[in-house]
Amino acid sequence: MEFRTLRVFVEVVRQGGFSQAAKVIFSTQSTVSKAVKQLEDELGVPLLDRIGHRSVMTAAGEVVYRRGIKLLAERDDLLAELDEVRGLKRGVLRLGLPPVGSSTLFAPVFARFRQRYPGVEIRLLEHGSSQLEAILRAGDIDFAGLLAPMSEEFDWQVVRSEPLVALLPIDHPFASRPRLSIEELREMPFIIFERGFTLNRMVLDRSREAGFEPVIAAQSSQIDFMIELVAAGIGVTFLPRMIAAQRQHPMVRAVELTAPGMVWRMSMAWRRGAYLSGAARAWLDLLGEVHGGDAGQM
């Protein structure tokens, strides 16, 4: 089995079609289709069921996709380790960072890394933690900024722990309180992040544990927009205390939450047992250097 055809098949599934995969791997749709057909012929089973313009994985395709992701990740680890053995002077660091908190926690590390290791190329992806977890699992990035605790598939180093606060309109009766419980917010509409943000799951899980399903007034990936909605009286939103302090608004007040487990613990994660290149190890060292007071490997 050729890794080339396997990688093409994995990309077709990941991108949801032949034309989208062709764009990602800088090839033609015809070449992509031929590569998948070659893999099917080699394995002796159909991997995709082509229904009109859609392609759905067969049972065999699901097995090949699941195993293929792991094989390709192991191959990348092998090549990276061989490059280190050959004394590679230039390298690549693949980072996945979440929108929430990265400007404060990771931008200083990023800048110092570029100054210290100018020959290393940094490839950056920005997504919510849930999406980054899937991308890290597939081996497409070396590190991801994720909220701890997380899957046993990963090792991680804690970067910063912050309690969550509720952001309320200044004229709300609870805005003058020093703290409140999430149960007391059951009658208020929630303004939350879009799907793919682990912070959402924390808020919704705690609400359900408290016995209610919150009404969602809005979902967004823009913190400033969410705060403006709070100021307009649309509902309540939730942020790490550090982020809320940086985005103070005259018509909004941040109130501490007493709910247990409402702690935003940002960590840098990597696949357990994965080979860490020299660039990757340098990034971890620098992370501990900049955030030494907060970091602690799990």
Side-chain angles (χ1 to χ4, degrees):
M1 182 191 303
E2 294 183 13
F3 280 105
R4 177 187 63 84
T5 56
L6 181 60
R7 189 175 292 279
V8 170
F9 169 72
V10 166
E11 206 58 50
V12 168
V13 175
R14 192 176 285 159
Q15 300 302 323
F18 289 80
S19 59
Q20 298 93 319
K23 293 176 184 177
V24 170
I25 63 177
F26 304 102
S27 186
T28 65
Q29 186 171 338
S30 174
T31 300
V32 169
S33 182
K34 289 177 182 177
V36 172
K37 183 64 168 60
Q38 180 182 337
L39 182 60
E40 289 177 323
D41 290 343
E42 182 180 358
L43 297 175
V45 289
L47 302 178
L48 295 172
D49 186 9
R50 295 157 179 83
I51 307 172
H53 295 294
R54 296 188 306 113
S55 296
V56 180
M57 278 190 293
T58 63
E62 291 180 359
V63 172
V64 173
Y65 178 70
R66 186 177 67 252
R67 296 282 188 175
I69 285 176
K70 294 180 180 179
L71 285 171
L72 291 171
E74 289 291 334
R75 175 184 180 272
D76 289 343
D77 283 348
L78 171 63
L79 294 178
E81 190 166 357
L82 288 175
D83 281 341
E84 292 293 323
V85 171
R86 296 186 187 111
L88 186 68
K89 300 301 181 182
R90 304 179 67 86
V92 175
L93 180 66
R94 304 170 301 169
L95 295 176
L97 300 180
V100 180
S102 287
S103 59
T104 300
L105 298 180
F106 299 120
V109 187
F110 190 103
R112 192 175 298 186
F113 188 92
R114 289 291 300 146
Q115 292 173 352
R116 193 171 295 181
Y117 308 104
V120 176
E121 176 189 355
I122 302 177
R123 297 176 186 170
L124 183 62
L125 280 177
E126 294 181 288
H127 289 291
S129 290
S130 296
Q131 290 171 278
L132 288 177
E133 184 174 327
I135 296 170
L136 179 61
R137 183 177 292 110
D140 291 338
I141 50 180
D142 302 311
F143 296 108
L146 303 178
L147 294 183
M150 61 195 76
S151 168
E152 292 184 357
E153 299 171 78
F154 307 125
D155 285 321
W156 69 87
Q157 182 169 301
V158 176
V159 178
R160 183 74 171 253
S161 294
E162 287 285 327
L164 289 187
V165 296
L167 272 62
L168 299 163
I170 194 171
D171 58 357
H172 192 279
F174 292 161
S176 59
R177 297 262 300 270
R179 61 188 60 84
L180 54 84
S181 68
I182 200 163
E183 292 95 325
E184 294 175 283
L185 299 172
R186 66 167 63 233
E187 301 301 326
M188 289 194 71
F190 283 16
I191 300 164
I192 62 175
F193 286 97
E194 294 176 343
R195 289 183 179 181
F197 286 75
T198 304
L199 185 56
N200 276 12
R201 189 169 68 243
M202 291 174 59
V203 171
L204 296 177
D205 286 350
R206 294 298 175 272
S207 301
R208 289 161 185 157
E209 289 171 7
F212 72 98
E213 187 71 30
V215 173
I216 307 302
Q219 290 184 262
S220 174
S221 61
Q222 303 298 319
I223 295 177
D224 290 338
F225 178 65
M226 295 165 71
I227 293 175
E228 288 296 339
L229 291 181
V230 173
I234 302 301
V236 58
T237 195
F238 306 88
L239 288 175
R241 182 177 57 189
M242 172 190 73
I243 307 300
Q246 295 170 347
R247 307 292 183 94
Q248 294 187 34
H249 190 291
M251 302 304 293
V252 173
R253 286 291 179 271
V255 181
E256 181 183 335
L257 288 168
T258 60
M262 295 289 273
V263 178
W264 180 82
R265 189 172 292 110
M266 180 54 64
S267 304
M268 187 58 60
W270 61 97
R271 287 180 297 120
R272 180 162 293 175
Y275 171 73
L276 295 181
S277 68
R281 290 193 297 270
W283 171 262
L284 275 184
D285 290 344
L286 198 52
L287 195 67
E289 187 177 310
V290 174
H291 297 291
D294 299 304
Q297 188 168 328
M298 303 297 291

